[in-house]
């Protein structure tokens, strides 16, 4: 079965990019235009060129809205690699002006999940949530971990680059805790900054984020610009601990952040609150749990990882083993190929 991967974004974008790169079967990527009329023409072009018995459509995240167009205009099997509902990104926003967007995203989720032949989500807990919230049959729902594109990192591992922001402090030989994430309530960046102040005499923090923030403590290094893959390789390779999403937001019960897979790939000790989704990949001895989501609770978990070298080493070994067995890029590509060959 030829898998025609379709997206309005680049082929290496997000989870679908990693899966596309490692799908071992026959495949091709088609970049769709953003204009609706041109999308319709492109679908009709694919319809003329390919037999639906020999080819299927894999809609790459986040192209949920293309599902009804393919189902109405063609007879292709349509696999939506959603990962998560679009409405997850707006469910916690309460500003009055964004309410229509919340409604629209939920409508797109409902229509796309209903019409797709198969829907691929990021975890078993996400499947349970989608099945209940959108009343979708569990028979058409599959899960594949998000993972990340190892192939992009393979060459960069041979030539890591120290970020300019880190050069001065690194020359002093200090350890650092690495946090990569957006400045929002889910990531817990404010809590990380508070914990850093409590640990100002113990360890440095390197924060790669999307906004300008005031460190508030001399042991905090902020990188608020695009970070190259070579720099990411250096940051993961030289960090002592990697922080996950430090919050108690409900969505974290069913999602796994990209940085978890990156930390696992680099065999790094991961510090995070426990969650049902997290335990789908990890067990208790493969990460350091943050049981109390407060600055004090986080700082205590970080100190535990810094002081107990044996525990840290055990977590590094186990997280990488779990990753290789259940979430490596080759594993994810093979799982997608199984779904592609399951005709619906």
């Amino acid at each position: 079965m030829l898998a025609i991967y379709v997206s309005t974004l680049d082929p290496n974008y997000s989870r679908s990019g990693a899966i596309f790169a490692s799908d071992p079967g026959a495949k091709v990527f088609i970049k769709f235009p953003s204009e609706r009329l041109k999308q319709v023409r492109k679908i009709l072009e694919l319809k003329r060129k390919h037999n639906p018995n020999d080819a299927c459509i894999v809609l790459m995240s986040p192209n949920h809205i293309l599902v009804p167009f393919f189902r109405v205009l063609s007879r292709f099997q349509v696999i939506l690699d959603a990962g998560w509902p679009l409405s997850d990104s707006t469910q916690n926003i309460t500003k009055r002006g964004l309410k229509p967007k919340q409604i629209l995203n939920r409508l797109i989720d409902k229509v796309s999940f209903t019409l797709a032949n198969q829907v691929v989500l990021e975890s078993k807990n996400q499947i349970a949530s989608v099945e209940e919230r959108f009343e979708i049959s569990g028979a058409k729902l599959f899960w594949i971990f998000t993972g990340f594109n190892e192939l992009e990192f393979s060459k960069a591992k041979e030539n890591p680059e120290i970020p300019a922001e880190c050069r001065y402090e690194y020359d002093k030989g200090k350890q650092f805790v690495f946090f990569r994430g957006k400045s929002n309530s889910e990531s817990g960046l404010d809590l990380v900054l508070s914990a850093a102040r409590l640990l100002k005499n113990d360890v440095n923090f390197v924060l790669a984020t999307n906004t300008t923030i005031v460190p508030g403590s001399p042991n905090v290094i902020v990188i608020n610009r695009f970070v190259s893959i070579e720099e990411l390789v250096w940051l993961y390779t030289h960090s002592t601990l990697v922080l996950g999403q430090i919050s108690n937001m409900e969505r974290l019960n069913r999602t796994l952040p990209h940085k978890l897979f990156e930390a696992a790939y680099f065999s790094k000790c991961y510090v995070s609150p426990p969650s049902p989704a997290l335990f789908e990949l990890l067990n208790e001895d493969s990460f350091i749990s943050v049981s109390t989501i407060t600055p004090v609770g986080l700082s205590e978990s970080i100190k535990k990882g810094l002081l107990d070298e044996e525990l840290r080493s055990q977590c590094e070994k186990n997280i990488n083993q779990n990753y290789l067995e259940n979430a490596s890029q080759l594993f994810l590509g093979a799982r997608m190929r199984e779904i592609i060959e399951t005709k619906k």
Side-chain angles (χ1 to χ4, degrees):
M1 176 72 69
L2 172 66
I4 304 172
Y5 285 78
V6 171
S7 178
T8 56
L9 302 170
D10 291 335
N12 59 350
Y13 181 77
S14 192
R15 56 173 281 121
S16 298
I19 292 171
F20 168 70
S22 57
D23 177 357
K27 62 187 178 185
V28 63
F29 171 79
I30 304 292
K31 185 169 184 176
F32 259 40
S34 56
E35 300 89 345
R36 291 284 174 251
L37 183 57
K38 291 182 179 180
Q39 290 174 350
V40 169
R41 291 173 179 166
K42 200 72 177 176
I43 293 171
L44 296 177
E45 179 185 324
L46 290 174
K47 181 181 176 181
R48 290 191 298 268
K49 187 175 181 180
H50 298 281
N51 186 328
N53 293 318
D54 302 323
C56 70
I57 301 297
V58 179
L59 290 177
M60 303 170 75
S61 176
N63 290 276
H64 302 49
I65 200 168
L66 289 177
V67 173
F69 291 93
F70 271 99
R71 289 308 309 273
V72 170
L73 297 171
S74 76
R75 294 189 297 110
F76 287 114
Q77 172 191 3
V78 178
I79 302 170
L80 172 61
D81 180 41
W84 45 83
L86 294 176
S87 52
D88 272 11
S89 64
T90 54
Q91 68 175 356
N92 296 313
I93 298 176
T94 57
K95 293 181 181 178
R96 185 187 307 173
L98 290 176
K99 190 174 181 181
K101 186 174 182 181
Q102 294 172 312
I103 297 172
L104 178 61
N105 280 348
R106 187 169 179 85
L107 178 61
I108 293 173
D109 286 335
K110 174 64 176 177
V111 172
S112 63
F113 294 160
T114 299
L115 293 181
N117 297 98
Q118 293 127 302
V119 179
V120 185
L121 299 163
E122 61 178 325
S123 69
K124 296 175 184 176
N125 280 275
Q126 191 67 269
I127 284 180
S129 174
V130 166
E131 190 173 1
E132 179 182 357
R133 290 164 60 199
F134 299 98
E135 299 180 330
I136 303 299
S137 168
K140 68 190 297 183
L141 303 178
F142 299 80
W143 67 270
I144 297 179
F145 287 131
T146 293
F148 85 111
N149 199 335
E150 301 171 18
L151 302 177
E152 289 187 329
F153 280 75
S154 58
K155 291 184 179 179
K157 288 177 73 174
E158 301 173 3
N159 188 33
E161 181 181 345
I162 181 171
E165 296 87 343
C166 300
R167 190 169 290 115
Y168 177 74
E169 290 297 331
Y170 180 70
D171 287 344
K172 295 180 180 179
K174 291 186 177 180
Q175 291 181 306
F176 70 88
V177 175
F178 183 42
F179 173 89
R180 182 187 183 203
K182 296 181 179 179
S183 178
N184 56 35
S185 55
E186 187 174 284
S187 73
L189 179 57
D190 288 343
L191 192 149
V192 172
L193 287 169
S194 297
R197 286 192 288 271
L198 295 175
L199 297 171
K200 61 184 178 182
N201 296 321
D202 299 286
V203 68
N204 283 339
F205 284 70
V206 175
L207 313 180
T209 186
N210 64 328
T211 189
T212 302
I213 59 174
V214 178
S217 184
N219 64 326
V220 175
I221 298 170
V222 178
I223 305 174
N224 58 359
R225 57 172 175 79
F226 173 78
V227 179
S228 70
I229 294 177
E230 288 77 13
E231 288 175 314
L232 277 177
V233 169
W234 187 92
L235 288 165
Y236 276 112
T237 301
H238 291 85
S239 61
T240 303
L241 302 173
V242 172
L243 302 182
Q245 301 288 75
I246 312 297
S247 74
N248 54 8
M249 300 294 285
E250 188 268 339
R251 193 176 84 93
L252 294 179
N253 288 325
R254 55 184 184 272
T255 191
L256 295 172
H258 285 80
K259 56 188 170 183
L260 165 62
F261 301 101
E262 293 168 349
Y265 172 76
F266 283 98
S267 301
K268 286 298 167 177
C269 185
Y270 192 68
V271 179
S272 170
S275 72
L278 192 70
F279 282 123
E280 289 187 33
L281 176 62
L282 305 182
N283 42 35
E284 291 182 351
D285 59 357
S286 53
F287 74 106
I288 293 178
S289 176
V290 180
S291 55
T292 305
I293 305 176
T294 63
V296 172
L298 176 58
S299 64
E300 289 177 348
S301 296
I302 291 173
K303 287 187 71 173
K304 185 178 180 180
L306 293 172
L307 297 175
D308 193 334
E309 186 175 350
E310 184 177 347
L311 171 64
R312 193 169 69 244
S313 177
Q314 171 187 284
C315 289
E316 292 170 348
K317 176 182 177 181
N318 292 338
I319 194 173
N320 183 252
Q321 182 176 342
N322 288 340
Y323 174 82
L324 293 175
E325 293 176 356
N326 300 296
S328 70
Q329 190 173 7
L330 288 176
F331 182 86
L332 304 184
R335 278 189 61 84
M336 177 58 87
R337 179 47 55 173
E338 290 177 5
I339 295 170
I340 289 168
E341 301 298 340
T342 303
K343 190 80 171 181
K344 291 288 183 182

PDB file of all heavy atoms in Angstrom, residues 160-183:
ATOM      1  N   PRO A 160      28.394  18.893  17.906  1.00  0.00           N
ATOM      2  CA  PRO A 160      27.587  19.698  18.832  1.00  0.00           C
ATOM      3  C   PRO A 160      28.159  21.105  18.992  1.00  0.00           C
ATOM      4  O   PRO A 160      29.367  21.311  18.844  1.00  0.00           O
ATOM      5  CB  PRO A 160      27.667  18.913  20.137  1.00  0.00           C
ATOM      6  CG  PRO A 160      28.933  18.136  20.038  1.00  0.00           C
ATOM      7  CD  PRO A 160      29.087  17.790  18.588  1.00  0.00           C
ATOM      8  N   GLU A 161      27.282  22.055  19.287  1.00  0.00           N
ATOM      9  CA  GLU A 161      27.711  23.450  19.401  1.00  0.00           C
ATOM     10  C   GLU A 161      27.204  24.046  20.714  1.00  0.00           C
ATOM     11  O   GLU A 161      26.007  24.011  21.001  1.00  0.00           O
ATOM     12  CB  GLU A 161      27.152  24.255  18.224  1.00  0.00           C
ATOM     13  CG  GLU A 161      27.546  25.721  18.225  1.00  0.00           C
ATOM     14  CD  GLU A 161      26.958  26.473  17.049  1.00  0.00           C
ATOM     15  OE1 GLU A 161      26.489  25.824  16.095  1.00  0.00           O
ATOM     16  OE2 GLU A 161      26.962  27.720  17.098  1.00  0.00           O
ATOM     17  N   ILE A 162      28.097  24.587  21.499  1.00  0.00           N
ATOM     18  CA  ILE A 162      27.703  25.198  22.766  1.00  0.00           C
ATOM     19  C   ILE A 162      27.009  26.540  22.499  1.00  0.00           C
ATOM     20  O   ILE A 162      27.528  27.365  21.755  1.00  0.00           O
ATOM     21  CB  ILE A 162      28.923  25.386  23.690  1.00  0.00           C
ATOM     22  CG1 ILE A 162      28.491  26.007  25.028  1.00  0.00           C
ATOM     23  CG2 ILE A 162      29.994  26.224  23.029  1.00  0.00           C
ATOM     24  CD1 ILE A 162      29.608  26.022  26.067  1.00  0.00           C
ATOM     25  N   PRO A 163      25.821  26.749  23.050  1.00  0.00           N
ATOM     26  CA  PRO A 163      25.167  28.053  22.880  1.00  0.00           C
ATOM     27  C   PRO A 163      26.026  29.160  23.481  1.00  0.00           C
ATOM     28  O   PRO A 163      26.656  28.973  24.526  1.00  0.00           O
ATOM     29  CB  PRO A 163      23.854  27.887  23.655  1.00  0.00           C
ATOM     30  CG  PRO A 163      23.620  26.411  23.716  1.00  0.00           C
ATOM     31  CD  PRO A 163      24.986  25.795  23.797  1.00  0.00           C
ATOM     32  N   ALA A 164      26.028  30.306  22.845  1.00  0.00           N
ATOM     33  CA  ALA A 164      26.843  31.424  23.324  1.00  0.00           C
ATOM     34  C   ALA A 164      26.466  31.814  24.749  1.00  0.00           C
ATOM     35  O   ALA A 164      27.333  32.197  25.544  1.00  0.00           O
ATOM     36  CB  ALA A 164      26.672  32.620  22.388  1.00  0.00           C
ATOM     37  N   GLU A 165      25.171  31.673  25.081  1.00  0.00           N
ATOM     38  CA  GLU A 165      24.702  32.051  26.411  1.00  0.00           C
ATOM     39  C   GLU A 165      25.300  31.183  27.515  1.00  0.00           C
ATOM     40  O   GLU A 165      25.338  31.589  28.681  1.00  0.00           O
ATOM     41  CB  GLU A 165      23.176  31.973  26.483  1.00  0.00           C
ATOM     42  CG  GLU A 165      22.435  32.944  25.586  1.00  0.00           C
ATOM     43  CD  GLU A 165      22.212  32.411  24.184  1.00  0.00           C
ATOM     44  OE1 GLU A 165      22.901  31.429  23.793  1.00  0.00           O
ATOM     45  OE2 GLU A 165      21.363  32.953  23.476  1.00  0.00           O
ATOM     46  N   CYS A 166      25.754  29.985  27.167  1.00  0.00           N
ATOM     47  CA  CYS A 166      26.237  29.031  28.171  1.00  0.00           C
ATOM     48  C   CYS A 166      27.755  29.009  28.305  1.00  0.00           C
ATOM     49  O   CYS A 166      28.287  28.437  29.260  1.00  0.00           O
ATOM     50  CB  CYS A 166      25.766  27.617  27.821  1.00  0.00           C
ATOM     51  SG  CYS A 166      23.974  27.413  27.754  1.00  0.00           S
ATOM     52  N   ARG A 167      28.438  29.626  27.365  1.00  0.00           N
ATOM     53  CA  ARG A 167      29.892  29.434  27.282  1.00  0.00           C
ATOM     54  C   ARG A 167      30.623  29.890  28.542  1.00  0.00           C
ATOM     55  O   ARG A 167      31.482  29.189  29.069  1.00  0.00           O
ATOM     56  CB  ARG A 167      30.436  30.164  26.047  1.00  0.00           C
ATOM     57  CG  ARG A 167      31.887  29.824  25.728  1.00  0.00           C
ATOM     58  CD  ARG A 167      32.300  30.341  24.359  1.00  0.00           C
ATOM     59  NE  ARG A 167      31.641  29.597  23.290  1.00  0.00           N
ATOM     60  CZ  ARG A 167      30.769  30.116  22.430  1.00  0.00           C
ATOM     61  NH1 ARG A 167      30.453  31.390  22.522  1.00  0.00           N
ATOM     62  NH2 ARG A 167      30.241  29.381  21.487  1.00  0.00           N
ATOM     63  N   TYR A 168      30.259  31.028  29.072  1.00  0.00           N
ATOM     64  CA  TYR A 168      30.989  31.567  30.222  1.00  0.00           C
ATOM     65  C   TYR A 168      30.815  30.692  31.458  1.00  0.00           C
ATOM     66  O   TYR A 168      31.795  30.304  32.113  1.00  0.00           O
ATOM     67  CB  TYR A 168      30.514  32.989  30.529  1.00  0.00           C
ATOM     68  CG  TYR A 168      31.168  33.590  31.757  1.00  0.00           C
ATOM     69  CD1 TYR A 168      32.491  34.022  31.730  1.00  0.00           C
ATOM     70  CD2 TYR A 168      30.459  33.718  32.948  1.00  0.00           C
ATOM     71  CE1 TYR A 168      33.089  34.565  32.856  1.00  0.00           C
ATOM     72  CE2 TYR A 168      31.045  34.261  34.079  1.00  0.00           C
ATOM     73  CZ  TYR A 168      32.365  34.681  34.028  1.00  0.00           C
ATOM     74  OH  TYR A 168      32.960  35.214  35.156  1.00  0.00           O
ATOM     75  N   GLU A 169      29.568  30.337  31.774  1.00  0.00           N
ATOM     76  CA  GLU A 169      29.316  29.535  32.967  1.00  0.00           C
ATOM     77  C   GLU A 169      29.837  28.114  32.807  1.00  0.00           C
ATOM     78  O   GLU A 169      30.336  27.512  33.760  1.00  0.00           O
ATOM     79  CB  GLU A 169      27.810  29.502  33.272  1.00  0.00           C
ATOM     80  CG  GLU A 169      27.254  30.824  33.760  1.00  0.00           C
ATOM     81  CD  GLU A 169      27.872  31.246  35.082  1.00  0.00           C
ATOM     82  OE1 GLU A 169      28.263  30.373  35.865  1.00  0.00           O
ATOM     83  OE2 GLU A 169      27.966  32.468  35.327  1.00  0.00           O
ATOM     84  N   TYR A 170      29.736  27.559  31.591  1.00  0.00           N
ATOM     85  CA  TYR A 170      30.206  26.194  31.391  1.00  0.00           C
ATOM     86  C   TYR A 170      31.707  26.097  31.594  1.00  0.00           C
ATOM     87  O   TYR A 170      32.222  25.093  32.092  1.00  0.00           O
ATOM     88  CB  TYR A 170      29.835  25.690  30.000  1.00  0.00           C
ATOM     89  CG  TYR A 170      30.294  24.276  29.740  1.00  0.00           C
ATOM     90  CD1 TYR A 170      29.689  23.200  30.407  1.00  0.00           C
ATOM     91  CD2 TYR A 170      31.345  24.007  28.878  1.00  0.00           C
ATOM     92  CE1 TYR A 170      30.128  21.902  30.196  1.00  0.00           C
ATOM     93  CE2 TYR A 170      31.783  22.709  28.661  1.00  0.00           C
ATOM     94  CZ  TYR A 170      31.171  21.659  29.322  1.00  0.00           C
ATOM     95  OH  TYR A 170      31.600  20.382  29.122  1.00  0.00           O
ATOM     96  N   ASP A 171      32.415  27.138  31.242  1.00  0.00           N
ATOM     97  CA  ASP A 171      33.871  27.141  31.425  1.00  0.00           C
ATOM     98  C   ASP A 171      34.262  27.019  32.893  1.00  0.00           C
ATOM     99  O   ASP A 171      35.383  26.645  33.220  1.00  0.00           O
ATOM    100  CB  ASP A 171      34.472  28.418  30.824  1.00  0.00           C
ATOM    101  CG  ASP A 171      34.470  28.392  29.302  1.00  0.00           C
ATOM    102  OD1 ASP A 171      34.304  27.297  28.743  1.00  0.00           O
ATOM    103  OD2 ASP A 171      34.620  29.464  28.690  1.00  0.00           O
ATOM    104  N   LYS A 172      33.317  27.339  33.780  1.00  0.00           N
ATOM    105  CA  LYS A 172      33.584  27.210  35.213  1.00  0.00           C
ATOM    106  C   LYS A 172      33.385  25.777  35.712  1.00  0.00           C
ATOM    107  O   LYS A 172      33.638  25.481  36.874  1.00  0.00           O
ATOM    108  CB  LYS A 172      32.669  28.143  36.001  1.00  0.00           C
ATOM    109  CG  LYS A 172      32.906  29.624  35.751  1.00  0.00           C
ATOM    110  CD  LYS A 172      31.942  30.460  36.595  1.00  0.00           C
ATOM    111  CE  LYS A 172      32.156  31.939  36.372  1.00  0.00           C
ATOM    112  NZ  LYS A 172      31.203  32.754  37.181  1.00  0.00           N
ATOM    113  N   GLY A 173      32.900  24.915  34.847  1.00  0.00           N
ATOM    114  CA  GLY A 173      32.719  23.516  35.210  1.00  0.00           C
ATOM    115  C   GLY A 173      31.480  23.229  36.039  1.00  0.00           C
ATOM    116  O   GLY A 173      31.417  22.217  36.739  1.00  0.00           O
ATOM    117  N   LYS A 174      30.478  24.099  35.960  1.00  0.00           N
ATOM    118  CA  LYS A 174      29.266  23.900  36.762  1.00  0.00           C
ATOM    119  C   LYS A 174      28.270  22.985  36.063  1.00  0.00           C
ATOM    120  O   LYS A 174      28.128  22.989  34.848  1.00  0.00           O
ATOM    121  CB  LYS A 174      28.597  25.249  37.052  1.00  0.00           C
ATOM    122  CG  LYS A 174      29.377  26.137  38.004  1.00  0.00           C
ATOM    123  CD  LYS A 174      28.569  27.383  38.343  1.00  0.00           C
ATOM    124  CE  LYS A 174      29.315  28.247  39.351  1.00  0.00           C
ATOM    125  NZ  LYS A 174      28.530  29.472  39.701  1.00  0.00           N
ATOM    126  N   GLN A 175      27.539  22.167  36.882  1.00  0.00           N
ATOM    127  CA  GLN A 175      26.445  21.361  36.360  1.00  0.00           C
ATOM    128  C   GLN A 175      25.270  22.279  36.010  1.00  0.00           C
ATOM    129  O   GLN A 175      25.165  23.394  36.517  1.00  0.00           O
ATOM    130  CB  GLN A 175      25.959  20.363  37.418  1.00  0.00           C
ATOM    131  CG  GLN A 175      26.922  19.249  37.755  1.00  0.00           C
ATOM    132  CD  GLN A 175      26.322  18.319  38.797  1.00  0.00           C
ATOM    133  OE1 GLN A 175      25.894  18.760  39.866  1.00  0.00           O
ATOM    134  NE2 GLN A 175      26.269  17.039  38.497  1.00  0.00           N
ATOM    135  N   PHE A 176      24.379  21.771  35.137  1.00  0.00           N
ATOM    136  CA  PHE A 176      23.167  22.548  34.907  1.00  0.00           C
ATOM    137  C   PHE A 176      21.960  21.640  34.675  1.00  0.00           C
ATOM    138  O   PHE A 176      22.079  20.504  34.209  1.00  0.00           O
ATOM    139  CB  PHE A 176      23.332  23.552  33.755  1.00  0.00           C
ATOM    140  CG  PHE A 176      23.430  22.935  32.373  1.00  0.00           C
ATOM    141  CD1 PHE A 176      22.282  22.670  31.628  1.00  0.00           C
ATOM    142  CD2 PHE A 176      24.663  22.671  31.803  1.00  0.00           C
ATOM    143  CE1 PHE A 176      22.376  22.142  30.345  1.00  0.00           C
ATOM    144  CE2 PHE A 176      24.767  22.142  30.528  1.00  0.00           C
ATOM    145  CZ  PHE A 176      23.616  21.872  29.790  1.00  0.00           C
ATOM    146  N   VAL A 177      20.811  22.167  35.056  1.00  0.00           N
ATOM    147  CA  VAL A 177      19.520  21.527  34.838  1.00  0.00           C
ATOM    148  C   VAL A 177      18.908  22.177  33.606  1.00  0.00           C
ATOM    149  O   VAL A 177      18.878  23.410  33.490  1.00  0.00           O
ATOM    150  CB  VAL A 177      18.590  21.728  36.054  1.00  0.00           C
ATOM    151  CG1 VAL A 177      17.203  21.166  35.780  1.00  0.00           C
ATOM    152  CG2 VAL A 177      19.203  21.084  37.292  1.00  0.00           C
ATOM    153  N   PHE A 178      18.416  21.367  32.666  1.00  0.00           N
ATOM    154  CA  PHE A 178      17.921  21.882  31.397  1.00  0.00           C
ATOM    155  C   PHE A 178      16.396  21.849  31.353  1.00  0.00           C
ATOM    156  O   PHE A 178      15.768  20.830  31.647  1.00  0.00           O
ATOM    157  CB  PHE A 178      18.492  21.070  30.239  1.00  0.00           C
ATOM    158  CG  PHE A 178      18.100  21.549  28.870  1.00  0.00           C
ATOM    159  CD1 PHE A 178      18.069  22.905  28.568  1.00  0.00           C
ATOM    160  CD2 PHE A 178      17.758  20.644  27.867  1.00  0.00           C
ATOM    161  CE1 PHE A 178      17.719  23.357  27.301  1.00  0.00           C
ATOM    162  CE2 PHE A 178      17.403  21.074  26.606  1.00  0.00           C
ATOM    163  CZ  PHE A 178      17.376  22.440  26.314  1.00  0.00           C
ATOM    164  N   PHE A 179      15.808  22.996  30.994  1.00  0.00           N
ATOM    165  CA  PHE A 179      14.360  23.087  30.783  1.00  0.00           C
ATOM    166  C   PHE A 179      14.119  23.653  29.394  1.00  0.00           C
ATOM    167  O   PHE A 179      14.644  24.707  29.038  1.00  0.00           O
ATOM    168  CB  PHE A 179      13.715  23.998  31.828  1.00  0.00           C
ATOM    169  CG  PHE A 179      12.249  24.278  31.565  1.00  0.00           C
ATOM    170  CD1 PHE A 179      11.270  23.438  32.073  1.00  0.00           C
ATOM    171  CD2 PHE A 179      11.862  25.380  30.809  1.00  0.00           C
ATOM    172  CE1 PHE A 179       9.923  23.683  31.820  1.00  0.00           C
ATOM    173  CE2 PHE A 179      10.518  25.629  30.564  1.00  0.00           C
ATOM    174  CZ  PHE A 179       9.550  24.782  31.072  1.00  0.00           C
ATOM    175  N   ARG A 180      13.299  22.957  28.629  1.00  0.00           N
ATOM    176  CA  ARG A 180      12.936  23.432  27.300  1.00  0.00           C
ATOM    177  C   ARG A 180      11.420  23.474  27.206  1.00  0.00           C
ATOM    178  O   ARG A 180      10.753  22.440  27.342  1.00  0.00           O
ATOM    179  CB  ARG A 180      13.507  22.502  26.229  1.00  0.00           C
ATOM    180  CG  ARG A 180      13.221  22.944  24.807  1.00  0.00           C
ATOM    181  CD  ARG A 180      13.658  21.893  23.807  1.00  0.00           C
ATOM    182  NE  ARG A 180      13.455  22.362  22.437  1.00  0.00           N
ATOM    183  CZ  ARG A 180      13.329  21.577  21.387  1.00  0.00           C
ATOM    184  NH1 ARG A 180      13.379  20.265  21.544  1.00  0.00           N
ATOM    185  NH2 ARG A 180      13.150  22.072  20.185  1.00  0.00           N
ATOM    186  N   GLY A 181      10.854  24.659  26.983  1.00  0.00           N
ATOM    187  CA  GLY A 181       9.404  24.732  26.906  1.00  0.00           C
ATOM    188  C   GLY A 181       8.894  26.146  26.775  1.00  0.00           C
ATOM    189  O   GLY A 181       9.617  27.115  26.992  1.00  0.00           O
ATOM    190  N   LYS A 182       7.628  26.253  26.409  1.00  0.00           N
ATOM    191  CA  LYS A 182       6.988  27.551  26.247  1.00  0.00           C
ATOM    192  C   LYS A 182       6.658  28.156  27.604  1.00  0.00           C
ATOM    193  O   LYS A 182       6.590  27.457  28.615  1.00  0.00           O
ATOM    194  CB  LYS A 182       5.716  27.409  25.413  1.00  0.00           C
ATOM    195  CG  LYS A 182       5.957  26.951  23.983  1.00  0.00           C
ATOM    196  CD  LYS A 182       4.656  26.845  23.215  1.00  0.00           C
ATOM    197  CE  LYS A 182       4.905  26.418  21.772  1.00  0.00           C
ATOM    198  NZ  LYS A 182       3.640  26.287  21.008  1.00  0.00           N
ATOM    199  N   SER A 183       6.436  29.452  27.578  1.00  0.00           N
ATOM    200  CA  SER A 183       6.038  30.145  28.796  1.00  0.00           C
ATOM    201  C   SER A 183       4.520  30.117  28.894  1.00  0.00           C
ATOM    202  O   SER A 183       3.830  31.002  28.408  1.00  0.00           O
ATOM    203  CB  SER A 183       6.543  31.598  28.768  1.00  0.00           C
ATOM    204  OG  SER A 183       6.118  32.285  29.915  1.00  0.00           O
TER     205      SER A 183
END
